[in-house]
Amino acid sequence: MAVEAKPPNCLLSSLSESKARSGRNQLMRPTSLTSYLPAQTPIADEFIAQYENTMEINDCLRALVKFSTESLGMLCFNTRLGCLDGTANLDFVEDLGIFFRSIDESGRYIKPYRYFRTPLYNKFERAADNMYRVAREEMQKALDKMAVLEKVGKLEEYLKEPNFLHSLISHPDMTHGKAQSLILDLFVGGIDSTSNALTFLWHELALHQDKQERLYQEIRNVIGNGNHDVNSLAKMFYLKACVKESLRKNYPVGIGSIRRLTEDMIVGGYQIPKGQDVLIPLRNMCQDAKYYKNPDKFIPERFLRGDQSVDEETRHTEPFVHVPFGFGPRSCIGQRFAESDMFIITTKLFQAYNVSLAPEIPEKLEFIYRAFACPTTKVNFLLRKRN
């Protein structure tokens, strides 16, 4: 008799209870995450310093996976994992590819793995087990450390620095099991989504030197050669516009949002019954000339309020067309941290270097969806130091 093979508890696990979601939403507010800027900045500095001698970034996505793993390790477990200095005995690049490609394919094809172990399922399981094993071990180390500090009366001093894990498990609406599920999903999902989104963003800026120069001038005007703080990030309007435009042009997910209606509704003259699944094709809408003039062009100015360099047809005016992180209580759990990570590392890169595409890299970057958009080829950059 065939036995259904159960997928491991992974990214698809759900924190559906409203109280649990309320707790994590409060902790992921912008005001909560700004306190992590001092911890994120040294990681970005270390990443940039790697290229002072080589003056090129080969296989950008692989490099950014290491950066994102290190950065998310600091957020989730309050520790450095050693991904950038080579002391870590882990490399999630291959595992992430297998993991998310398997999830994507399992949703589109016949599912024989539900009844017996297929080669695809075995690869998926090995990749998932490896990544979640590392995450669980690091989480337990962090919990054990706090338990020891509490016994010797030093926990309060330790917690003067921001600690996301402690804030999470201490929240009255969050159980230990749900906290672990959220941390694991944030860690694994955040690595892949952030590293891919940054690769597309840097490709766009390397290709469009005029946009890169405008971003550099904003960096000079706001922080010069310094670091970001809460106030300076709030002034980086063009940087945020570049991120939004890259996410619009290279939409991070293949379709959009699916929601199951909890009551009967009439939308656009159509009656939709309760319990029906409704798909909002956000990717298609972001590439539709009806909403964005010249949708295949990289025009960050369309997201700048009051910018006179674009006309009204080009300007972004439909707020619910561009929601790459979702919207409301079921939006992406790591949105604020991912955005902060992208803002800091992008500022650091273009603050230090002029970035251009290596000769072999195409101007049009092809990609596939393996849950998140991923380039089909390696992306290499050439660097030139700023004066």
Side-chain angles (χ1 to χ4, degrees):
M1 179 179 178
V3 179
E4 180 177 356
K6 300 292 186 182
N9 181 26
C10 60
L11 185 70
L12 302 182
S13 62
S14 172
L15 290 175
S16 57
E17 292 87 344
S18 60
K19 285 188 177 181
R21 284 193 163 271
S22 173
R24 66 88 171 168
N25 285 342
Q26 290 180 41
L27 292 168
M28 299 303 282
R29 287 175 178 170
T31 52
S32 300
L33 289 173
T34 52
S35 58
Y36 293 91
L37 287 174
Q40 290 175 278
T41 300
I43 298 173
D45 285 332
E46 187 175 333
F47 177 86
I48 298 302
Q50 294 179 114
Y51 304 103
E52 288 182 351
N53 297 322
T54 64
M55 298 306 292
E56 58 183 8
I57 302 177
N58 291 318
D59 197 350
C60 179
L61 179 59
R62 178 177 287 272
L64 283 170
V65 165
K66 293 181 180 180
F67 164 76
S68 297
T69 304
E70 189 74 10
S71 187
L72 279 159
M74 179 57 71
L75 171 72
C76 295
F77 316 118
N78 210 47
T79 188
R80 293 293 299 268
L81 300 177
C83 298
L84 297 181
D85 62 14
T87 60
N89 187 25
L90 58 91
D91 186 348
F92 287 161
V93 175
E94 300 302 324
D95 286 338
L96 285 167
I98 294 170
F99 181 79
F100 286 104
R101 188 164 59 249
S102 299
I103 290 177
D104 182 60
E105 292 182 6
S106 70
R108 293 187 287 131
Y109 304 121
I110 298 173
K111 302 177 177 60
Y113 63 85
R114 292 173 63 90
Y115 307 101
F116 58 89
R117 289 179 171 273
T118 64
L120 171 67
Y121 181 86
N122 287 332
K123 291 180 180 179
F124 167 79
E125 187 176 56
R126 284 194 296 269
D129 285 348
N130 181 48
M131 291 189 294
Y132 282 94
R133 173 188 57 78
V134 171
R136 283 192 296 269
E137 288 175 356
E138 292 298 332
M139 180 174 176
Q140 192 58 51
K141 288 179 185 177
L143 292 172
D144 291 344
K145 179 178 181 178
M146 286 187 283
V148 170
L149 290 171
E150 186 174 24
K151 284 184 179 179
V152 298
K154 295 184 178 180
L155 181 60
E156 185 175 348
E157 180 181 353
Y158 176 68
L159 294 177
K160 288 180 180 178
E161 299 295 327
N163 191 303
F164 178 68
L165 177 58
H166 184 270
S167 299
L168 199 63
I169 61 176
S170 302
H171 198 281
D173 293 334
M174 189 70 66
T175 67
H176 185 278
K178 289 181 174 62
Q180 176 175 278
S181 179
L182 190 150
I183 286 284
L184 298 183
D185 289 355
L186 176 62
F187 182 65
V188 175
I191 294 170
D192 195 62
S193 57
T194 302
S195 56
N196 277 297
L198 279 168
T199 301
F200 287 114
L201 172 63
W202 293 0
H203 179 275
E204 296 287 0
L205 289 168
L207 177 61
H208 300 90
Q209 288 290 314
D210 57 330
K211 312 298 183 185
Q212 183 180 154
E213 179 61 23
R214 181 167 180 177
L215 173 60
Y216 174 61
Q217 292 303 324
E218 180 177 76
I219 295 169
R220 285 188 60 187
N221 293 334
V222 176
I223 62 171
N225 293 323
N227 297 323
H228 272 306
D229 57 24
V230 178
N231 295 325
S232 64
L233 270 181
K235 300 174 184 177
M236 297 296 291
F237 303 113
Y238 195 70
L239 171 61
K240 294 174 183 178
C242 288
V243 171
K244 289 178 180 178
E245 176 67 349
S246 181
L247 290 173
R248 180 202 64 80
K249 186 171 179 285
N250 310 284
Y251 206 74
V253 292
I255 302 175
S257 296
I258 299 177
R259 295 291 183 265
R260 181 165 295 172
L261 299 185
T262 57
E263 57 186 54
D264 294 340
M265 299 184 103
I266 297 177
V267 179
Y270 293 90
Q271 183 172 353
I272 307 176
K274 174 183 177 181
Q276 182 67 47
D277 290 339
V278 176
L279 167 65
I280 307 172
L282 296 172
R283 178 199 173 198
N284 301 74
M285 294 165 70
C286 279
Q287 297 171 352
D288 192 335
K290 174 182 177 181
Y291 301 105
Y292 295 102
K293 183 179 178 180
N294 299 317
D296 56 343
K297 292 185 178 181
F298 182 70
I299 310 175
E301 290 78 6
R302 68 170 95 239
F303 285 96
L304 289 177
R305 294 181 181 178
D307 191 282
Q308 301 302 314
S309 64
V310 295
D311 56 33
E312 286 301 318
E313 293 180 41
T314 306
R315 198 181 309 280
H316 169 70
T317 57
E318 297 287 346
F320 286 100
V321 171
H322 185 274
V323 281
F325 292 98
F327 181 79
R330 293 188 177 276
S331 59
C332 174
I333 61 173
Q335 174 181 352
R336 299 303 181 187
F337 189 81
E339 289 177 331
S340 178
D341 234 9
M342 287 192 284
F343 296 154
I344 293 172
I345 190 63
T346 300
T347 295
K348 287 291 184 179
L349 178 68
F350 294 99
Q351 183 185 54
Y353 303 111
N354 172 267
V355 183
S356 59
L357 297 178
E360 71 276 10
I361 304 304
E363 292 187 358
K364 181 176 175 56
L365 195 59
E366 300 293 338
F367 59 88
I368 59 172
Y369 283 103
R370 57 175 200 194
F372 303 109
C374 176
T376 57
T377 59
K378 292 181 180 179
V379 181
N380 305 325
F381 296 113
L382 303 179
L383 308 178
R384 188 177 73 252
K385 286 186 179 179
R386 302 278 187 184
N387 292 328

